[in-house]
Amino acid sequence: MNILVTGGAGYIGSVVTEQLVLSGQSVVVFDNLYQGHREAVHPGAAFVQGDLADAAAVDAVFRQHQPEAVMHFASHTLVGESMQDPFRYLGENVTNGLNLLRAAVEQGVRRFILSSTANLFDAPQRIPIDESEQIVPGSPYGESKHILERFLHWLDRVYGLHYTALRYFNAAGATAERGEDHHPEFHLIPIVLQVALGQREHVTVFGNDYDTPDGSCVRDYVHVSDLAQAHILALHALDQGSRVYNLGNGQGFSVQQVIDTAREITGHPIPARIGPRRPGDPATLVAGSQRIRDELGWRPQFSALREIVATAWDWHRSHPQGYAG
């Protein structure tokens, strides 16, 4: 199958591209390299540098490469930034996504995988959070993903564009060749590992008075390779119709547990300081992923926090400057 991967030079997109290539698929990566890295793109994939804001460029990549399916990762993804600059998220994420969807429909594509988010669930009524949970986006970022999910619902009904929206929680870990390299970095595990590498003096724990076993926030960390496998399973199931899945490990780990695990794996003391709570941070977010387990047979291979952190540490040690060195 010929697959167009937008944002395929980014963290999750590059790992999905890697696994698609290794499984024998033909892949075209479309990325503007704003947050992605050309070095992250698997050499077995074709690469086109372009921006989804450029509708002509989007049309051109469809005409030239004739994809049969699309996996859409390219977007602005920072919750906090979206609260400061909502127009960027409700504007660019949605408009760029529509450029992609319009081109896909016009070129007769009938398979679409959307990289969605757990930020659809700002105040869940139940933990773990399954697909029956009411959608109440927690930020303009989450709202932008919800809007795209709704567009896909209607494009399926009107044009037969079958889709899967994968709402994943905290992606983490690395493969041997591909890992997390953001500038600046906002995600906990790479920040903790940067302290171990001597690139930061300490890690800040935002609040230690939550209603959790150790007072720090609890989150669901799912390995990026397991996310990639979910995308591939979802792609092959699209002929059976559209669907949505929440993706996570199914168990929560606290900020303090992540730090303690990283200390054990790296052998570094990793100083931590307690800071104030961040606005909007719920105490616990854990995914309920039983639906994709039952329907597609998805089984995370890296369910232990130690395994997840260890793969990230291996990559960061071998890429101390990220893809730059």
Side-chain angles (χ1 to χ4, degrees), residues 5 142 154 159 202 211:
V5 179
W154 289 109
Y159 298 109
H202 66 275
D211 185 17

Side-chain angles (χ1 to χ4, degrees), residues 12-320:
I12 300 172
S14 68
V15 175
V16 174
T17 295
E18 175 184 66
Q19 293 201 14
L20 286 170
V21 171
L22 294 177
S23 69
Q25 306 298 331
S26 175
V27 182
V28 179
V29 168
F30 187 80
D31 199 298
N32 64 6
L33 301 182
Y34 173 68
Q35 284 286 347
H37 306 272
R38 179 65 181 88
E39 298 83 359
V41 179
H42 192 284
F47 176 73
V48 177
Q49 185 168 349
D51 198 305
L52 290 175
D54 184 348
V58 176
D59 290 340
V61 77
F62 274 88
R63 289 195 304 271
Q64 180 178 353
H65 294 278
Q66 298 292 306
E68 303 163 79
V70 175
M71 292 189 178
H72 179 38
F73 298 92
S75 71
H76 302 297
T77 61
L78 299 178
V79 170
E81 182 184 60
S82 77
M83 297 294 286
Q84 298 169 356
D85 189 2
F87 287 104
R88 186 180 201 190
Y89 283 74
L90 294 171
E92 293 180 24
N93 276 3
V94 173
T95 301
N96 293 355
L98 284 177
N99 285 342
L100 179 66
L101 288 168
R102 184 178 295 109
V105 167
E106 290 177 352
Q107 294 299 318
V109 174
R110 292 295 178 263
R111 301 177 181 89
F112 196 100
I113 305 289
L114 174 67
S115 169
S116 193
T117 176
N119 194 241
L120 294 180
F121 312 108
D122 183 43
Q125 300 301 304
R126 297 175 303 278
I127 301 291
I129 305 166
D130 64 22
E131 294 81 3
S132 66
E133 182 66 45
Q134 182 181 3
I135 294 177
V136 181
S139 70
Y141 163 62
E143 189 70 61
S144 72
K145 293 292 188 177
H146 184 216
I147 291 169
L148 291 178
E149 286 196 17
R150 294 303 301 164
F151 272 118
L152 283 165
H153 165 80
W154 289 109
L155 295 181
D156 182 10
R157 289 189 61 177
V158 175
Y159 298 109
L161 176 62
H162 288 180
Y163 72 93
T164 297
L166 296 175
R167 303 157 170 173
Y168 33 83
F169 284 57
N170 292 53
T175 67
E177 300 295 330
R178 287 161 185 87
E180 200 163 359
D181 182 14
H182 300 118
H183 301 282
E185 185 59 72
F186 290 96
H187 294 164
L188 177 61
I189 290 177
I191 286 175
V192 170
L193 298 179
Q194 287 172 357
V195 177
L197 288 169
Q199 297 171 348
R200 294 174 183 257
E201 292 184 358
H202 66 275
V203 59
T204 299
V205 179
F206 295 104
N208 65 345
D209 58 350
Y210 286 93
D211 185 17
T212 61
D214 61 28
S216 64
C217 287
V218 171
R219 295 292 182 265
D220 189 326
Y221 294 91
V222 57
H223 196 279
V224 65
S225 292
D226 290 325
L227 286 179
Q229 281 303 306
H231 284 76
I232 293 172
L233 289 170
L235 175 68
H236 293 301
L238 281 176
D239 288 342
Q240 303 167 30
S242 298
R243 58 197 73 196
V244 298
Y245 293 119
N246 291 2
L247 279 181
N249 203 338
Q251 54 185 321
F253 303 106
S254 72
V255 172
Q256 190 60 55
Q257 283 180 292
V258 170
I259 296 171
D260 289 343
T261 301
R263 286 170 175 160
E264 179 185 348
I265 289 170
T266 66
H268 191 281
I270 307 181
R273 297 180 184 176
I274 305 302
R277 290 187 179 193
R278 293 182 299 193
D281 262 354
T284 301
L285 288 176
V286 177
S289 301
Q290 197 60 44
R291 178 185 289 182
I292 191 171
R293 292 170 183 262
D294 291 344
E295 295 184 2
L296 302 188
W298 180 68
R299 297 290 183 273
Q301 300 302 303
F302 298 88
S303 57
L305 179 61
R306 181 180 176 83
E307 294 176 307
I308 294 171
V309 174
T311 62
W313 177 236
D314 288 343
W315 189 83
H316 282 278
R317 279 193 300 174
S318 62
H319 300 77

